Amino acid sequence: MENQMAKNTMSPRRRIVNILVHVLLGILAIIWVLPIVWIVLTSFRAEPGAYTTTFLPQGYTLNNYIKLLTDRNVLNFPKMFTNTLIISIISCVISTFFVLSVAYSLSRMRFKFRKPYMNMAMILGLFPGFMTMIAQYFILKSMGLTEGASIRIGLIVVYCACTGLGFQISKGFFDTIPRSIDEAAIIDGATQWQVFTRITLPLSKPIVIYTVMTAFIAPWVDFIFAKVLCRANADQFTVAIGLWNMLQKEYIYQWYTCFAAGAVLISIPIAILFLYMQRFYVEGMSGAVKG
Amino acid sequence: MATLSLRHIQKIYPMRDEDKKERKKQKKKGEETIEKTYSLKVTEEGVVAVDDFNLEIADREFIVIVGPSGCGKSTTMRMVAGLEDITRGELYINGKLMNDVDPKDRDIAMVFQNYALYPHMSVKQNLEFPLELRKVPKDEMEQKVQWAAEILGITPYLHRKPKALSGGQRQRVAIGRAIVRDPQVLLMDEPLSNLDAKLRNQMRAEIIKLRQRLNATFIYVTHDQTEAMTLGDRIVIMRDGDVQQIGTPTEVFDHPVNLFVAGFIGMPQMNLFDGELVLRDGKYAVRCDDAEIVLSEDKQKNLADRNAQPQKVVIGVRPEHITLDKVEGAMIEGVVDVSEMMGSSVHLHVNVGGKDCIIIAPRLDLEGGGLADGSKVRFTFAPNAVHVFDPETEKNLEFA
Amino acid sequence: MKEDRITVLNALRNGDLFTRLSAVFMGAGMLGHRQIVKGVLVLLLEVAFFVFMATSGLHNLGMLPSLGTEAQGEVWNEAKQIYEYTAGDNSQQILLAGVVTCFVIVGFVALWILQMRHSYKLQKLIEDGKEVPTLREDIKNLFNGNLHMTLMTLPCIGILIFNVVPLVYMISMAFTTYSKEGEHLILFDWDGINQFLRVLNMNGNIGRQFWHVLGWTIIWAVFATFLNYILGMVLAMVINRKDTKGKAFWRFCFVLSIAVPQFVTLMIMNIMLQPSGAINVLLMNAGLITEPIPFWTNTMLARITIIVINLWVGIPYTMLQVTGILQNIPGELYEAARMDGAGPVKVFFKITLPYMLFVTTPYLIASFVGNINNFNIIYLLSGGGPTMVGDTAGQTDLLVTWLYKLTIDQQYYNLGAVIGIMTFVILTIVTLVTYRNSSSYKNEEAFM
């Protein structure tokens, strides 16, 4: 270390600053990583309960995971998992279509309703989301989508219905694709639909992936609307409600370590997806297609 | 077989409400309205980008539309392509009204300035795309792609992505994509302006060759008068949305209808002197300084036909039509500021009564191959190469 | 030009028989002008509308002014010797049905206008001797020139039914007595702006809480937005320094926390900071404190904790978003500053920050709005607590979480709706003011 430092022609002052910066980054990194490490450790903890007298677990076990994945009596996690998976796959397909359609129309087509639509989207975005929740519930109820298995349909409808308002990032990306590429395609004989599907979408892979993933993740992390819609219908619960319930007074002692295990289980795929799409996310932010 | 006819074509961009408000505000403040967009006409309806464009194009003709940026040349081409709506007037291709026909049904192809290749497709896929959309059978498609690739010499790159090509290669692919379906009309929008000078000359030659191999009618837009002169059968010169002159390269070079055309066509630019048109013994002559030059026969006739009266004029002479002379008499005098050695000739920047003028002198005519800065020169014009313009209307008096 | 513009008025004035007929029999103009299928469809829609109005629409509208009068009653049935319940009016359903009916009527009027214009357009096409598009061409055009109609219809319907209608419904609820207070859960009435007055009145209990919550909401949003923004930017710059080793590793450490779903981390944080949670245990074991720190029960501490945890959640996001933009700052700006002898702090405040503010104002506004509406962080961390006795809002409640409590927990629906509207008003003002004053609005070319 000393040697390496000496090789670089750094003044002593700069070297001290540099060491300080690295120490600071180290401390910050520990602060950011520690809670994650702790939850992973907790998921393997042998002793139950949310509160222990020691920071590190006293014994390690895999039972938390086994219990989580096999216990179907108290909190049926496997069922919740399949529920969420089905909902998220379907709503992911629909809302991706919605978002990209709206974004493309606003970016490439010119029609009277365009500006009003964008203004309306901005205004609607200023209302607190929960304000509409009750009314949405009543509307779903009048459609008969709040009982039994149709709750799932209700959830899908709610997760998809308003995604047309979240077009901004995709539109921003589409806007960076040079117009002349579209025009070339139109002269080559493409209809607008063909321009959309054969030119714009393949050119926008990063943003398509980004949209698909955000849409897919949404049902896994929403607990509030799912709670309102599912109420006591335990067999329609999604993972998020399940995890939430595990921390309620009646379950927390028995289920806290299982909660940790569940958190780890759903975090792993989401983390992998996220780390993979991170560069697309950054690219999407800065826009990157050149002709 | 494709003839085009553009009749009274007009393009007006409606003003957006914000622009209107802006104009009102400025008027209220009493400020002068500053037109950001050059000096286009603005009417009630909006900004007039192209006004009353009339042109009949023969089959297989090569038309070049030329003018400074913002003159409406690209807009005109885009209206022919169908990328812009035609506000007023009619566009016929082969006698059929095309105003409301989709671009894909006009049987046209277009080459864009920035190539506009599809970045996610290989060169081959780029070439196949227009054929695929027209549902051309597989083997015919293969054949046509081969043909186009060979003509343009891009066969070795067929499997590369556009990103892996140089600018010149990309432009070839773009042209290939346009010719692969053998369109009736080929539109080119400044296709060479993204290339460096050497490549540009080379591609220009290729376009001339290409033209002989295709049956298409060409419309070519450029701001470069050299391209216009070398490529065009006829040249359309535009300015601020108006057509200034339409004619063969020789016509527009030899007989510019106004000062703008005279200045725009020809490199280096035409020299302009203040002078007078005089009638001497029933013959027209121009007076500049003390020199008087009697005009050539055809010019006499043109001026007489229009019954031109003696008046103040702007005299225009191209640098290559000025002759240096040592003979005393009807001569104009100047002092050499700079002399540029161009190889076979020398460009002399001469100060004539405070104005700069350029003279191209063959080196053989100059003793020792040049002239020292500050030396005096005397020169005269060729009587058949003098243009007289009205200083007010800027029109050429021969054709006014 | 003006005389033959396609407007409803011109259609009525200059229309032929069919066009005028469409004013009554919608679609007649299309039927008479060679567009049979479309015409039939529009006519069917008209019939459907009138059937709807006759069967329920008119009734819905009629009930709207009173919102129902019949309370659910008990009637003694002599024969069966039991109390029987008579179905009363359900105001909430009446209101919803009324709102929906209003939307249907608006939609019908829009359809009427469109079909009038369309009929007139067809008529003029025929008069000018032009081709009338066939159904086939129309459908083809839906994938070409009119692609936006194809693409946007479904999303728009979704937004209309699940966002606009609910919003209007909730807004109208703010003007009623729909609340658990006074037993108005089934039958309620219009109440004018009383609830608004109640909320704005500083002397009343609800009003006092409102101003209190509003104050904290704004403090929270300002701190959360700007601290995250500046610290995230500093972190990004520190990592991107020329001399920093292992850039990718540091970045990974911070990005990892985004990858874990937010609600999971928040719940874990909540548990970790409980009196017997991991943090207190760690500190006590280390002998740094003897008593657990009351993270969630002391107002001041709870607020600070929330802001700090939000930093933990938000800084990596900012870092990620800002990295790309930071690298786009023209290098000459820095060089010029260094030539002038500016130190790193001065460079940050004179060059980096103004540039970033210029580029990211829209992002800042969005994150400010997001923070005001940040439900998860409060609900999952402190649950709004600590709460004073007799209050519905806790000390750390934001307007949104209070809105949630008022509607879901307390069932004070009308108050909840008022709070929602107030939030919207505040956000609108903030957005407009910042946007108007932002340099990217005033001067678009300052840095370019």
Side-chain angles (χ1 to χ4, degrees):
Chain A
M1 198 66 182
E2 278 292 299
N3 269 340
Q4 214 185 336
M5 285 295 200
K7 256 185 233 162
N8 295 340
T9 50
M10 271 192 201
S11 68
R13 223 198 89 170
R14 261 181 83 189
R15 198 194 303 175
I16 291 168
V17 169
N18 208 23
I19 292 170
L20 279 179
V21 164
H22 282 85
V23 169
L24 181 77
L25 275 178
I27 294 171
L28 288 176
I30 289 173
I31 294 176
W32 256 269
V33 174
L34 194 66
I36 296 165
V37 172
W38 186 72
I39 192 75
V40 173
L41 288 179
T42 307
S43 74
F44 292 106
R45 191 171 72 193
E47 54 299 5
Y51 310 109
T52 49
T53 48
T54 53
F55 184 76
L56 293 176
Q58 300 298 298
Y60 294 91
T61 172
L62 273 176
N63 284 342
N64 299 325
Y65 287 90
I66 295 167
K67 181 179 168 192
L68 183 76
L69 295 177
T70 53
D71 189 328
R72 288 170 170 275
N73 300 320
V74 186
L75 288 169
N76 191 344
F77 191 79
K79 172 88 182 169
M80 295 175 201
F81 188 85
T82 41
N83 282 346
T84 321
L85 192 66
I86 293 168
I87 292 172
S88 66
I89 288 174
I90 298 177
S91 78
C92 163
V93 172
I94 300 176
S95 46
T96 304
F97 171 73
F98 277 18
V99 172
L100 296 175
S101 297
V102 171
Y104 179 80
S105 302
L106 294 177
S107 167
R108 286 309 205 244
M109 314 285 291
R110 288 292 173 266
F111 47 98
K112 268 194 209 146
F113 188 46
R114 183 174 169 269
K115 268 270 152 78
Y117 182 91
M118 295 204 287
N119 290 336
M120 182 196 73
M122 204 180 83
I123 292 169
L124 290 180
L126 293 178
F127 278 103
F130 295 105
M131 206 171 146
T132 53
M133 197 166 61
I134 310 288
Q136 286 177 337
Y137 174 75
F138 287 142
I139 290 174
L140 286 178
K141 198 173 166 189
S142 68
M143 291 174 165
L145 294 179
T146 52
E147 297 306 326
S150 60
I151 288 179
R152 272 184 231 169
I153 302 174
L155 278 173
I156 292 172
V157 168
V158 166
Y159 289 140
C160 300
C162 301
T163 46
L165 293 173
F167 56 81
Q168 288 83 357
I169 292 186
S170 313
K171 175 180 174 286
F173 192 91
F174 290 159
D175 285 344
T176 64
I177 300 175
R179 268 285 164 137
S180 54
I181 292 187
D182 290 29
E183 288 174 346
I186 286 173
I187 288 190
D188 280 347
T191 60
Q192 282 288 345
W193 173 252
Q194 283 165 323
V195 175
F196 179 44
T197 53
R198 303 203 41 188
I199 307 289
T200 312
L201 287 185
L203 277 181
S204 315
K205 244 184 239 154
I207 217 66
V208 173
I209 293 173
Y210 173 78
T211 313
V212 167
M213 288 185 175
T214 28
F216 184 80
I217 289 170
W220 296 88
V221 297
D222 163 77
F223 67 98
I224 195 74
F225 199 90
K227 243 176 72 185
V228 169
L229 205 56
C230 292
R231 287 156 300 150
N233 293 287
D235 53 329
Q236 303 302 322
F237 278 3
T238 63
V239 167
I241 311 179
L243 291 177
W244 160 266
N245 274 345
M246 288 177 195
L247 293 189
Q248 298 313 299
K249 286 191 190 79
E250 55 271 41
Y251 297 116
I252 191 165
Y253 184 77
Q254 284 296 323
W255 284 85
Y256 185 69
T257 47
C258 290
F259 162 82
V264 171
L265 280 188
I266 69 159
S267 296
I268 288 173
I270 294 180
I272 292 172
L273 285 182
F274 184 82
L275 292 176
Y276 169 70
M277 81 183 189
Q278 175 197 336
R279 77 197 160 96
F280 296 128
Y281 182 73
V282 175
E283 270 177 42
M285 279 287 168
S286 49
V289 177
K290 299 209 171 68
Chain B
M1 283 295 290
T3 59
L4 275 84
S5 123
L6 291 82
R7 296 187 192 153
H8 307 292
I9 298 271
Q10 198 179 30
K11 177 75 193 177
I12 300 177
Y13 289 106
M15 255 194 291
R16 290 171 302 163
D17 289 343
E18 304 125 59
D19 295 343
K20 278 186 195 158
K21 267 182 221 158
E22 192 69 15
R23 280 170 69 85
K24 263 187 199 159
K25 232 191 263 169
Q26 280 175 341
K27 265 185 199 161
K28 258 185 203 163
K29 276 187 198 162
E31 288 171 18
E32 247 179 76
T33 329
I34 305 150
E35 284 301 325
K36 263 187 269 171
T37 46
Y38 317 102
S39 45
L40 294 176
K41 273 167 289 192
V42 180
T43 64
E44 274 290 294
E45 285 172 85
V47 182
V48 185
V50 177
D51 199 7
D52 199 24
F53 191 107
N54 287 291
L55 181 64
E56 299 289 326
I57 304 175
D59 183 37
R60 300 198 60 193
E61 199 176 15
F62 198 120
I63 293 287
V64 179
I65 308 178
V66 67
S69 61
C71 69
K73 55 189 190 301
S74 285
T75 312
T76 309
M77 167 172 283
R78 290 166 59 84
M79 283 193 282
V80 174
L83 294 172
E84 302 265 357
D85 287 332
I86 297 170
T87 312
R88 226 162 281 143
E90 291 114 41
L91 165 74
Y92 296 90
I93 298 179
N94 282 337
K96 255 187 255 152
L97 185 67
M98 284 287 161
N99 283 33
D100 297 322
V101 176
D102 276 346
K104 65 184 162 79
D105 301 323
R106 294 187 184 193
D107 203 2
I108 43 158
M110 184 160 167
V111 180
F112 292 81
Q113 175 178 357
N114 57 4
Y115 323 126
L117 298 176
Y118 311 124
H120 58 296
M121 300 183 190
S122 69
V123 169
K124 187 153 182 270
Q125 286 167 322
N126 263 286
L127 294 181
E128 283 170 352
F129 191 68
L131 299 173
E132 214 182 304
L133 291 172
R134 286 184 164 70
K135 306 207 169 69
V136 173
K138 202 87 205 164
D139 46 335
E140 197 186 329
M141 188 153 82
E142 196 74 18
Q143 206 183 323
K144 286 193 166 173
V145 169
Q146 286 304 332
W147 168 78
E150 245 159 65
I151 287 188
L152 291 155
I154 48 174
T155 319
Y157 324 118
L158 276 181
H159 294 284
R160 286 204 204 158
K161 288 269 173 71
K163 225 186 258 174
L165 300 178
S166 70
Q169 291 164 343
R170 285 185 206 187
Q171 193 51 276
R172 282 163 202 270
V173 178
I175 295 174
R177 190 179 58 186
I179 65 169
V180 73
R181 61 190 158 88
D182 201 12
Q184 294 200 40
V185 184
L186 192 54
L187 308 175
M188 297 183 146
D189 189 0
E190 310 229 11
L192 306 184
S193 30
N194 277 12
L195 304 177
D196 63 45
K198 199 177 152 204
L199 259 176
R200 208 179 302 165
N201 286 339
Q202 203 183 325
M203 285 302 290
R204 214 163 58 202
E206 297 232 6
I207 289 177
I208 294 172
K209 265 191 271 169
L210 185 70
R211 187 199 160 178
Q212 288 153 2
R213 303 189 57 165
L214 298 179
N215 288 318
T217 305
F218 280 68
I219 302 181
Y220 186 105
V221 160
T222 178
H223 62 268
D224 179 356
Q225 58 95 27
T226 323
E227 274 171 38
M229 297 294 281
T230 47
L231 290 172
D233 290 338
R234 275 195 294 159
I235 301 178
V236 179
I237 298 150
M238 290 184 76
R239 177 206 200 182
D240 296 339
D242 288 320
V243 174
Q244 304 288 311
Q245 187 172 6
I246 300 175
T248 62
T250 351
E251 272 167 19
V252 296
F253 188 81
D254 289 345
H255 307 292
V257 294
N258 60 24
L259 272 175
F260 175 78
V261 176
F264 195 83
I265 302 289
M267 231 6 224
Q269 278 195 11
M270 185 183 276
N271 295 305
L272 303 173
F273 307 93
D274 291 325
E276 255 178 285
L277 181 69
V278 291
L279 258 176
R280 206 144 304 249
D281 310 331
K283 291 227 163 199
Y284 286 103
V286 287
R287 239 186 117 74
C288 181
D289 278 358
D290 296 327
E292 211 172 275
I293 294 136
V294 179
L295 297 174
S296 63
E297 280 306 314
D298 55 329
K299 290 195 183 269
Q300 296 287 351
K301 189 171 174 294
N302 284 337
L303 286 170
D305 284 353
R306 277 162 189 77
N307 195 19
Q309 295 303 312
Q311 64 170 121
K312 280 207 183 296
V313 290
V314 175
I315 302 167
V317 191
R318 296 197 184 277
E320 53 270 43
H321 296 145
I322 298 180
T323 41
L324 292 177
D325 216 330
K326 289 170 215 97
V327 185
E328 295 284 322
M331 300 296 255
I332 305 167
E333 245 182 28
V335 179
V336 176
D337 274 338
V338 181
S339 80
E340 293 173 316
M341 165 60 194
M342 305 300 283
S344 60
S345 64
V346 175
H347 289 189
L348 299 172
H349 293 252
V350 178
N351 190 325
V352 183
K355 267 191 168 176
D356 193 50
C357 112
I358 299 176
I359 300 170
I360 299 183
R363 256 170 77 198
L364 294 175
D365 293 2
L366 301 171
E367 283 157 26
L371 273 174
D373 295 353
S375 53
K376 273 192 181 168
V377 288
R378 303 170 141 269
F379 57 88
T380 182
F381 316 133
N384 59 351
V386 177
H387 307 282
V388 285
F389 301 98
D390 186 312
E392 297 294 316
T393 62
E394 301 196 344
K395 286 196 172 127
N396 190 333
L397 288 176
E398 283 180 66
F399 312 104
Chain C
M1 279 307 281
K2 268 189 182 151
E3 298 78 57
D4 42 312
R5 275 226 309 263
I6 290 167
T7 60
V8 175
L9 222 62
N10 281 338
L12 288 174
R13 203 180 293 148
N14 310 330
D16 60 10
L17 176 68
F18 292 114
T19 308
R20 290 190 194 189
L21 207 57
S22 345
V24 185
F25 298 102
M26 287 164 54
M30 288 171 237
L31 288 171
H33 297 131
R34 300 177 215 160
Q35 290 201 330
I36 309 294
V37 180
K38 264 175 151 183
V40 170
L41 275 178
V42 173
L43 195 61
L44 282 180
L45 279 177
E46 188 186 14
V47 172
F49 172 75
F50 281 115
V51 170
F52 165 77
M53 285 310 279
T55 51
S56 57
L58 284 174
H59 175 250
N60 292 346
L61 282 184
M63 294 295 276
L64 208 47
S66 68
L67 289 176
T69 45
E70 291 286 311
Q72 192 185 44
E74 288 169 289
V75 178
W76 177 250
N77 187 326
E78 274 292 338
K80 289 188 189 162
Q81 292 291 301
I82 48 164
Y83 279 108
E84 278 184 343
Y85 290 100
T86 56
D89 291 331
N90 185 331
S91 304
Q92 165 257 316
Q93 282 172 5
I94 291 171
L95 183 58
L96 184 58
V99 168
V100 171
T101 309
C102 289
F103 272 94
V104 171
I105 293 173
V106 170
F108 177 75
V109 172
L111 181 71
W112 184 83
I113 293 172
L114 284 179
Q115 64 94 24
M116 281 310 284
R117 286 196 201 158
H118 190 69
S119 305
Y120 188 47
K121 202 167 113 190
L122 291 178
Q123 178 196 333
K124 287 188 60 174
L125 278 181
I126 292 173
E127 281 170 6
D128 295 350
K130 289 185 186 154
E131 301 263 315
V132 170
T134 60
L135 185 68
R136 226 194 142 125
E137 284 166 347
D138 272 335
I139 291 172
K140 258 192 182 166
N141 211 15
L142 278 179
F143 287 92
N144 196 6
N146 286 334
L147 181 66
H148 58 276
M149 293 188 191
T150 320
L151 290 182
M152 291 192 58
T153 305
L154 274 179
C156 281
I157 291 176
I159 292 166
L160 189 70
I161 298 182
F162 286 95
N163 202 320
V164 179
V165 171
L167 262 183
V168 173
Y169 175 58
M170 289 307 283
I171 289 171
S172 54
M173 216 175 250
F175 301 93
T176 67
T177 55
Y178 188 18
S179 167
K180 209 167 74 180
E181 290 174 295
E183 296 299 319
H184 284 303
L185 280 181
I186 296 181
L187 199 61
F188 55 84
D189 214 336
W190 292 108
D191 194 25
I193 55 164
N194 284 341
Q195 298 303 325
F196 285 88
L197 297 178
R198 215 173 137 203
V199 165
L200 293 172
N201 176 12
M202 279 202 215
N203 300 320
N205 181 29
I206 293 289
R208 187 181 49 76
Q209 289 181 53
F210 169 73
W211 292 105
H212 204 79
V213 172
L214 175 61
W216 159 239
T217 304
I218 289 177
I219 293 172
W220 145 260
V222 169
F223 270 94
T225 309
F226 288 97
L227 276 183
N228 268 351
Y229 183 66
I230 292 181
L231 293 179
M233 199 157 36
V234 171
L235 182 66
M237 286 166 67
V238 166
I239 291 180
N240 288 326
R241 267 169 84 246
K242 205 167 64 226
D243 295 335
T244 305
K245 300 258 158 16
K247 292 188 172 77
F249 168 75
W250 297 120
R251 218 171 276 149
F252 175 79
C253 286
F254 295 103
V255 166
L256 198 61
S257 72
I258 310 183
V260 181
Q262 215 188 55
F263 85 106
V264 170
T265 41
L266 292 176
M267 284 199 279
I268 292 165
M269 291 282 190
N270 176 31
I271 300 283
M272 279 176 95
L273 292 170
Q274 292 294 336
S276 46
I279 298 289
N280 274 320
V281 166
L282 192 68
L283 291 175
M284 285 206 284
N285 286 356
L288 289 172
I289 49 169
T290 49
E291 286 288 303
I293 302 172
F295 285 110
W296 303 127
T297 43
N298 177 306
T299 302
M300 203 56 203
L301 210 50
R303 290 182 171 184
I304 293 173
T305 312
I306 287 172
I307 291 178
V308 169
I309 290 179
N310 185 54
L311 287 180
W312 190 91
V313 172
I315 284 182
Y317 264 109
T318 321
M319 181 198 79
L320 207 59
Q321 287 169 337
V322 152
T323 304
I325 310 173
L326 275 175
Q327 282 158 352
N328 283 344
I329 300 181
E332 309 92 71
L333 284 180
Y334 285 121
E335 276 157 24
R338 215 169 295 144
M339 301 269 241
D340 295 342
V345 177
K346 203 160 185 190
V347 168
F348 178 77
F349 282 105
K350 287 278 171 208
I351 294 181
T352 315
L353 196 58
Y355 182 91
M356 293 302 291
L357 280 177
F358 172 77
V359 178
T360 55
T361 306
Y363 161 79
L364 263 181
I365 295 175
S367 79
F368 189 83
V369 171
N371 276 324
I372 287 204
N373 283 335
N374 200 334
F375 177 83
N376 275 3
I377 199 152
I378 303 292
Y379 188 75
L380 291 172
L381 282 180
S382 68
T387 310
M388 304 286 188
V389 181
D391 281 1
T392 45
Q395 294 296 311
T396 55
D397 259 326
L398 301 179
L399 286 172
V400 255
T401 51
W402 192 30
L403 160 66
Y404 178 83
K405 283 182 179 174
L406 282 173
T407 47
I408 306 280
D409 297 346
Q410 312 278 341
Q411 298 186 303
Y412 293 174
Y413 293 104
N414 51 0
L415 272 182
V418 173
I419 301 299
I421 294 172
M422 297 310 290
T423 315
F424 168 74
V425 170
I426 291 158
L427 283 178
T428 312
I429 295 169
V430 169
T431 312
L432 281 182
V433 168
T434 40
Y435 186 62
R436 285 260 158 184
N437 286 321
S438 70
S439 45
S440 40
Y441 175 81
K442 275 186 184 162
N443 185 358
E444 280 189 63
E445 277 153 42
F447 270 100
M448 299 306 149

